[in-house]
Amino acid sequence: MIAGLIPKRKDVKIALMRLLYERGHSREQIVRLFNIIDWMLQLPKALEPEFVQAVNAIQEEKHMPYVNTIERVEREKAVQEGRRETLEEAEQRVKEAEQRSLESKRNAARKLIALTEMNDRLIADIEELPVEEVEKLRAETQH
């Protein structure tokens, strides 16, 4: 029963928007009244694109730009995109830091191989590297 009311809520909200435009209210009045309507008749995120599309059509008919919900939807998209970009940048920085850390461990292991008589297992434990990695480094330095 309630699920059937959600699409009706969208239709009512669209009808109210149309009335606001048809009654010749100023943009400021439309924005103020819509803030109240938007608060009273909140739509699920899934229905917002349909509502925005309907409002855009009304705006085109009446040649009056409307901002509130459309700006909010676009702003949310921009925020999500920004979060995705920030996450990708953070992942890249982590990868770079891990690579620098690994290279630093390899360099330290090379020095231990060259300057001490420690076995590969001990060097691997000290530098937190796999024994196979230390064996590979030792083979490289002996060539």
Side-chain angles (χ1 to χ4, degrees):
M1 177 91 177
I2 291 177
L5 295 177
I6 300 293
K8 288 182 177 152
R9 186 183 310 169
K10 178 192 69 147
D11 295 338
V12 168
K13 197 169 180 177
I14 291 168
L16 288 169
M17 286 302 299
R18 183 173 294 287
L19 282 172
L20 290 176
Y21 281 102
E22 288 175 353
R23 300 272 166 112
H25 292 291
S26 71
R27 182 184 185 286
E28 185 178 319
Q29 289 172 319
I30 291 173
V31 169
R32 276 200 227 146
L33 290 169
F34 180 74
N35 283 331
I36 295 167
I37 294 168
D38 196 37
W39 175 73
M40 292 174 70
L41 294 172
Q42 295 180 6
L43 297 175
K45 297 261 187 238
L47 289 178
E48 280 190 359
E50 292 176 41
F51 173 74
V52 169
Q53 187 176 12
V55 170
N56 283 335
I58 294 168
Q59 289 174 2
E60 288 176 17
E61 285 175 27
K62 306 297 178 188
H63 304 293
M64 295 178 72
Y66 176 74
V67 188
N68 193 334
T69 298
I70 298 160
E71 277 185 346
R72 186 178 72 229
V73 169
E74 293 303 314
R75 211 176 301 128
E76 287 176 10
K77 284 181 191 175
V79 167
Q80 290 299 327
E81 183 63 29
R83 285 182 186 150
R84 188 176 326 116
E85 289 174 3
T86 301
L87 179 61
E88 289 170 359
E89 290 169 2
E91 288 172 346
Q92 182 62 33
R93 284 193 300 271
V94 167
K95 286 178 186 177
E96 290 169 359
E98 288 173 344
Q99 189 61 36
R100 285 191 304 271
S101 174
L102 178 59
E103 195 53 41
S104 177
K105 289 177 181 184
R106 287 176 178 155
N107 287 335
R110 284 183 188 102
K111 287 179 184 176
L112 289 172
I113 291 168
L115 300 174
T116 70
E117 295 193 21
M118 290 183 194
N119 65 38
D120 294 347
R121 178 90 203 134
L122 183 57
I123 293 172
D125 288 344
I126 292 170
E127 294 304 324
E128 299 175 346
L129 290 169
V131 174
E132 297 80 19
E133 180 84 18
V134 175
E135 290 170 350
K136 181 180 167 187
L137 293 171
R138 184 177 296 279
E140 288 174 4
T141 57
Q142 290 177 350
H143 290 271

